[in-house]
Amino acid sequence: MKHTIIITGGAGFIGSHVVRLFVNRYPDYRIINLDKLTYAGNLANLADIEDRPNYRFVKMDICDFEGVLALMQQEQVDGIIHLAAESHVDRSIKDPFTFAQTNVMGTLSLLQAAKVAWDGRWEGKRFYHISTDEVYGALEMTDPEGIEPPFTTKASSGSHHLAYGSKFFTEDLKYQPHSPYSAAKASSDHFVRAFHDTYGMPTIVTNCSNNYGPYQFPEKLIPLFINNIRHRKPLPVYGRGENVRDWLYVEDHARAIDLIFHEGKVGETYNIGGFNEWKNIDIIKVLINTVDRMLGRREGEDMDLITYVTDRAGHDLRYAIDSTKLQRELGWEPSLQFEEGIEKTVRWYLDNQQWMDRVTSGDYQKYYEEMYKGR
Ligand code: NAD
Ligand code: DAU
């Protein structure tokens, strides 16, 4: 079956990988990238596919209900994959209103536009909402030394291979968000399920762990630190660097989204992750060794860049996703071992210094004006 799909937030980090995958894999689908181009949106992330006949970019705010509705009717949209959001926890601590506006009101505006456009004709329609593991709150670290995880996936099959507690985030856990970011995402998840339960809208929600890979905005740990190591700038480690995150290569997330969009069960929630837990400080050491080696420096030469700074307010201690349901029901697994993913990622940022320089200088925001003027 052919689809016309709006992908929101397609100019961001994960969204750009999802847009690329769908445009390349489904030449007979029409893919509409709807993005407001906030500071986090960068159309250069999609330079390789922007001239494809099955791709269209629309600069629009998801909060613009009338605009989204008109677009859906004009294009006869039958699927929405919703990634647009304010996504950075530190920004949400400084400016919670923007997070509530985009993540809650924006999601509600999209849902309402889809409800009006589809008008109860749910057959063949799908509203797929991308959320985060942060809605579940934080897990205890019961074993700081690390234990065998219940599962080994491709992502966790490398040398590291540890879990830092016996509890994991499962789909049936109560939501306990702690940051304004995760509170806003939790609220948006509730609205999506409410539209399913109240109106019968065919919705799906997925909650994924930390992503890493090319095109991530360098305010997030991995690209920020790669760039700082390269330029020998201090690496601001929050607290003692003991917090644990569960890392997934971004293309594996995009593959999961593709599979779930097509084969996921309506009304369901799926967790996405690779049982790949790392303490921040351990990842940072891997990044220093990898960047040093790739730049021809002595491995570990830049360890003294590590600078412990005041902890993030309300900093969640440990995230660990249990993605057994997705594995069991749809057969999804990560395709990449973490060590391979980190090598690819560091190599990409070092090889794409111009992309990084344009982002850090602010020049990337001119891309839209140059490429889309008059279109
Ligand atoms: P990002 O910050 O890199 O990109 C967000 C995109 O949304 C940008 O292109 C931005 O311009 C756009 N956007 C923001 N506000 C908008 C608005 N009002 N209207 C239209 N577009 C708007 O984010 P990301 O890291 O790619 O995350 C994408 C989604 O995945 C988010 O919903 C996030 O909560 C979720 N998620 C992220 C991670 C992660 O590790 N990055 C993990 C799990 C889930
Ligand atoms: O778990 C999924 C979430 O992962 C997504 O929902 C969010 O959108 C995404 O931003 C990410 O959130 P985190 O807060 O975990 O990511 P971040 O890269 O900001 O931080 C990762 C860890 O590193 C976290 O424990 C805080 C720490 N950190 C981060 C930065 C930017 C530092 O110690 N120093 C830093 O400078």
Side-chain angles (χ1 to χ4, degrees):
M1 184 187 165
K2 288 187 185 173
H3 287 291
T4 300
I5 304 170
I6 289 181
I7 298 180
T8 71
F13 166 48
I14 303 171
S16 62
H17 288 274
V18 177
V19 166
R20 177 176 297 100
L21 178 69
F22 274 69
V23 165
N24 283 333
R25 187 152 191 223
Y26 303 107
D28 52 344
Y29 288 14
R30 187 158 168 74
I31 303 302
I32 302 165
N33 172 9
L34 187 159
D35 198 299
K36 182 184 174 183
L37 298 184
T38 67
Y39 79 93
N42 183 355
L43 284 175
N45 296 355
L46 291 166
D48 54 325
I49 57 103
E50 69 191 356
D51 290 326
R52 294 296 176 79
N54 62 338
Y55 171 72
R56 177 182 173 195
F57 171 69
V58 176
K59 187 173 189 296
M60 191 179 283
D61 189 333
I62 53 169
C63 299
D64 175 4
F65 166 77
E66 298 293 345
V68 176
L69 176 59
L71 180 67
M72 286 193 70
Q73 289 171 331
Q74 173 201 43
E75 289 274 7
Q76 309 240 310
V77 170
D78 59 5
I80 296 184
I81 303 179
H82 175 35
L83 295 109
E86 288 292 337
S87 73
H88 189 42
V89 174
D90 293 329
R91 285 181 190 254
S92 82
I93 294 167
K94 293 197 187 102
D95 176 20
F97 279 115
T98 305
F99 282 69
Q101 177 63 22
T102 292
N103 299 359
V104 185
M105 295 308 291
T107 301
L108 182 54
S109 144
L110 275 182
L111 284 163
Q112 186 65 11
K115 176 173 164 283
V116 174
W118 292 339
D119 193 25
R121 295 181 302 271
W122 304 128
E123 187 65 31
K125 310 294 195 303
R126 190 147 282 199
F127 189 107
Y128 178 1
H129 175 62
I130 309 300
S131 192
T132 169
D133 60 358
E134 299 201 14
V135 296
Y136 297 119
L139 293 163
E140 286 184 345
M141 187 163 10
T142 47
D143 198 329
E145 296 310 310
I147 52 174
E148 281 289 300
F151 269 91
T152 303
T153 68
K154 188 74 192 278
S156 61
S157 63
S159 55
H160 171 76
H161 190 66
L162 294 171
Y164 291 97
S166 51
K167 295 228 168 79
F168 296 85
F169 294 141
T170 48
E171 288 84 354
D172 55 356
L173 267 195
K174 185 172 109 187
Y175 275 24
Q176 283 190 301
H178 295 137
S179 72
Y181 162 67
S182 52
K185 289 297 288 187
S187 172
S188 66
D189 295 7
H190 290 315
F191 269 110
V192 174
R193 292 197 191 96
F195 268 63
H196 173 265
D197 296 348
T198 307
Y199 308 112
M201 185 179 284
T203 63
I204 294 186
V205 177
T206 56
N207 299 83
C208 188
S209 62
N210 284 63
N211 285 216
Y212 71 99
Y215 300 113
Q216 187 167 29
F217 197 84
E219 62 186 353
K220 306 279 173 81
L221 180 80
I222 290 189
L224 175 71
F225 278 34
I226 293 172
N227 199 39
N228 282 12
I229 299 162
R230 179 184 188 125
H231 295 293
R232 295 211 153 111
K233 289 196 202 153
L235 307 175
V237 181
Y238 299 162
R240 298 303 306 159
E242 292 291 311
N243 302 64
V244 171
R245 295 291 181 268
D246 180 354
W247 294 93
L248 184 68
Y249 192 67
V250 62
E251 287 180 6
D252 278 331
H253 188 189
R255 279 196 310 108
I257 290 172
D258 177 11
L259 180 69
I260 294 164
F261 178 80
H262 290 97
E263 291 178 31
K265 230 166 102 188
V266 161
E268 289 290 319
T269 295
Y270 299 91
N271 282 349
I272 309 175
F275 288 105
N276 181 39
E277 292 177 52
W278 285 76
K279 285 185 189 174
N280 290 342
I281 193 65
D282 292 335
I283 282 223
I284 291 162
K285 288 177 182 164
V286 171
L287 290 176
I288 293 172
N289 284 331
T290 311
V291 175
D292 280 349
R293 173 167 42 79
M294 287 189 185
L295 290 180
R297 300 175 186 167
R298 181 175 54 77
E299 263 193 40
E301 194 179 324
D302 288 308
M303 287 294 169
D304 58 354
L305 295 176
I306 292 177
T307 310
Y308 293 99
V309 299
T310 309
D311 208 353
R312 173 185 277 174
H315 198 173
D316 286 333
L317 185 59
R318 172 175 171 249
Y319 300 149
I321 272 276
D322 183 340
S323 56
T324 309
K325 174 177 169 181
L326 178 59
Q327 204 166 9
R328 193 183 54 234
E329 295 186 10
L330 300 183
W332 175 88
E333 270 200 88
S335 69
L336 214 62
Q337 201 182 61
F338 183 68
E339 278 84 348
E340 291 171 60
I342 281 291
E343 288 276 319
K344 275 175 80 139
T345 301
V346 173
R347 172 56 53 217
W348 189 87
Y349 285 101
L350 296 182
D351 287 350
N352 288 274
Q353 190 58 38
Q354 196 186 43
W355 178 92
M356 180 64 86
D357 290 344
R358 286 189 175 150
V359 174
T360 49
S361 69
D363 270 2
Y364 70 107
Q365 286 173 321
K366 295 182 194 142
Y367 192 91
Y368 169 73
E369 306 303 333
E370 284 160 20
M371 292 306 298
Y372 285 83
K373 210 169 8 185
R375 280 201 198 181

